[in-house]
Amino acid sequence: MAVSTDRLERLVADGASCCGSTVEECETRLSAVAEAATRDTDGDVAALSALANETRYGLVRLLHAAEGELCVCELDAVTDVSDSAVSHALRQLREAGLVEARKEGRWKYYRTTDRATALLVALEGTR
């Protein structure tokens, strides 16, 4: 997101500036805001998109509630979808950076990431 200096100058010249700041002050502040707002948006969009599916959202909530790791066999046992659907959902959640996996023998154990925790806390706060 780029700050339009020309537009700011027109607003100030027209007396439409609501904040009473100079063009330079607005440009500096808005450049910082625009930079912060565009940081890592691809990861955020992918993470939010991953949570838009009921199965994936449910898996993230289960893993978060476990406050640790759950084996894929445990996740299979508590969901109402097929084993392959669980595996597919977990792969998508890993790709979105919402869960991490570790393999022990033939089993995989999953846990939520800090990003998933932050998104769940934010979502719970909106209810």
Side-chain angles (χ1 to χ4, degrees):
M1 256 180 242
V3 176
S4 172
T5 304
D6 293 342
R7 186 161 186 204
L8 284 172
E9 288 172 351
R10 283 195 312 272
L11 288 170
V12 171
D14 293 342
S17 178
C18 65
C19 60
S21 300
T22 67
V23 171
E24 292 79 20
E25 291 169 335
C26 281
E27 186 177 23
T28 300
R29 186 172 37 130
L30 293 176
S31 291
V33 168
E35 180 183 334
T38 58
R39 231 178 273 136
D40 193 24
T41 56
D42 290 338
D44 292 343
V45 171
L48 287 170
S49 178
L51 290 178
N53 172 276
E54 186 176 341
T55 300
R56 293 188 300 261
Y57 180 63
L59 288 170
V60 170
R61 287 182 51 94
L62 283 168
L63 289 166
H64 180 70
E67 296 181 359
E69 295 180 327
L70 288 177
C71 178
V72 69
C73 65
E74 295 170 309
L75 293 168
D76 285 343
V78 296
T79 59
D80 292 332
V81 297
S82 69
D83 295 354
S84 62
V86 170
S87 294
H88 184 70
L90 288 168
R91 182 179 52 79
Q92 290 174 315
L93 291 169
R94 273 194 331 270
E95 290 172 358
L98 295 175
V99 299
E100 296 173 337
R102 73 175 177 85
K103 192 168 183 173
E104 188 175 304
R106 61 179 235 169
W107 298 105
K108 277 195 176 177
Y109 294 86
Y110 292 87
R111 67 181 169 279
T112 55
T113 62
D114 291 342
R115 172 178 268 168
T117 299
L119 285 172
L120 288 175
V121 167
L123 289 170
E124 290 297 320
T126 60
R127 290 184 180 187

